[in-house]
Amino acid sequence: MSSSWSVHSVYSDPGRHRALFAELRGEVPRICAAARNVIAHYRIELPELPPARHDEIHSRWLEAILELDQERHPGPLTTPRATAEKVAGCCRDHVLFVVGALRDRGVAARSRVGFASYLAEGYFLDHVVAEYRAGDRWRRVDPEFAPGSVEFDVEDMPTGPSAPFRTAAQVWLAHRSGETDAELYRVSPESELGGPGFIRDCVVTELAHRQKDELLLWDAWGDAAHQVDDPLVDELAELLVRADAGDDTAERELARRYRDDPRLHPGDAVTQYSPYGQPPRVVRLR
């Protein structure tokens, strides 16, 4: 089943900037370092980003991210950029960069949506990490963090119930069983976005990313998205966890449901919200 993840999505394709990835040679540490060199987190690294640049965080296609970078820094992706001149983005964009670079070498790679325990003490914040196929297993990496910056190996992250990053499906099932406090799962400690409804939405986003629709974390699927009820998310979360364990039947069932259920996939357009409070707008995806 992993072969489909070695082929680009419309989001991960570098387009006319494909040649830039050649110097990275498909080496994961070089790719992750290049992602940090090109992209800076809009909230953490660029808190004073001028309003004229706020739309940078909506550069949903890797080709668009690379285009913006090359307008400022024509040349290799490894040439150092000043933080203020990097493309404003977030974890999703760092991961898309890595996934795109690996898929361009024929390596199966995908983005995983969930929650991290290492971003704010006492909380689990929504986060995206990358996975790629290494031999007979999926190896998980967090390209936003340099090696040694946290207490675990960011280039081969631990997995399981007590891992520093847990998928949205794992968290949803833990919430439903009463094993965790859903209110600790948020966008940020002070954000109103958090709790059971937020986790539920993240499960749907996790499914979209698994199906290679690597959407922005603030995209909504229109009115249909709000019709995804708890029992359906229970089923999706169970299937996602089973698929992670290597169950090909669950993997195929996820793909079928995503394709056939209009509540789960975005179709041709999404409603794009903004962390900066700008009015939502409809964005065509194709």
Side-chain angles (χ1 to χ4, degrees), residues 233-267:
V233 176
D234 290 343
E235 296 174 13
L236 295 175
E238 291 280 4
L239 287 168
L240 284 161
V241 170
R242 283 172 48 197
D244 277 347
D247 186 333
D248 286 346
T249 300
E251 199 75 75
R252 288 190 291 270
E253 178 65 8
L254 285 169
R256 184 194 68 78
R257 291 190 179 210
Y258 189 72
R259 181 188 67 242
D260 296 345
D261 191 333
R263 294 172 296 176
L264 302 181
H265 63 257

Side-chain angles (χ1 to χ4, degrees), residues 77-92:
L77 299 172
T78 54
T79 301
R81 281 93 161 122
T83 298
E85 297 174 356
K86 295 179 183 182
V87 179
C90 70
C91 53
R92 176 264 183 192

Side-chain angles (χ1 to χ4, degrees), residues 27-167:
E27 298 172 4
V28 172
R30 287 173 61 86
I31 293 169
C32 291
R36 292 190 297 274
N37 186 50
V38 169
I39 301 162
H41 196 285
Y42 75 97
R43 189 173 65 245
I44 306 303
E45 298 175 272
L46 298 170
E48 304 300 326
L49 190 70
R53 291 182 55 191
H54 283 183
D55 276 352
E56 282 182 28
I57 66 172
H58 304 310
S59 301
R60 65 180 60 243
W61 296 278
L62 179 57
E63 184 174 15
I65 293 171
L66 295 173
E67 180 73 21
L68 187 54
D69 171 74
Q70 290 297 294
E71 288 175 2
R72 298 173 186 165
H73 308 281
L77 299 172
T78 54
T79 301
R81 281 93 161 122
T83 298
E85 297 174 356
K86 295 179 183 182
V87 179
C90 70
C91 53
R92 176 264 183 192
D93 305 301
H94 287 92
V95 167
L96 186 67
F97 184 105
V98 172
V99 167
L102 289 172
R103 286 177 181 167
D104 218 51
R105 304 281 293 199
V107 176
R110 62 194 185 191
S111 55
R112 302 306 309 270
V113 176
F115 295 85
S117 63
Y118 50 95
L119 303 178
E121 186 174 359
Y123 288 89
F124 304 86
L125 305 188
D126 69 316
H127 198 45
V128 183
V129 300
E131 285 181 341
Y132 69 98
R133 197 71 179 175
D136 61 353
R137 72 183 180 97
W138 287 97
R139 186 164 172 163
R140 189 171 290 177
V141 299
D142 189 338
E144 197 171 358
F145 288 82
S149 61
V150 291
E151 296 180 352
F152 56 87
D153 186 351
V154 294
E155 293 175 356
D156 192 3
M157 298 173 64
T159 59
S162 60
F165 173 88
R166 300 174 72 190
T167 67

Side-chain angles (χ1 to χ4, degrees), residues 179-243:
E179 297 172 21
T180 194
D181 181 357
E183 295 303 324
L184 297 178
Y185 295 82
R186 319 195 70 77
V187 170
S188 65
E190 64 278 1
S191 174
E192 295 180 357
L193 291 175
F198 181 62
I199 300 170
R200 180 177 60 238
D201 291 345
C202 286
V203 173
V204 179
T205 303
E206 179 188 351
L207 174 60
H209 277 235
R210 195 181 191 93
Q211 303 305 314
K212 295 169 60 177
D213 273 338
E214 294 100 353
L215 298 163
L216 300 181
L217 300 183
W218 39 85
D219 284 337
W221 292 214
D223 292 339
H226 304 296
Q227 299 171 14
V228 181
D229 56 24
D230 288 1
L232 174 57
V233 176
D234 290 343
E235 296 174 13
L236 295 175
E238 291 280 4
L239 287 168
L240 284 161
V241 170
R242 283 172 48 197

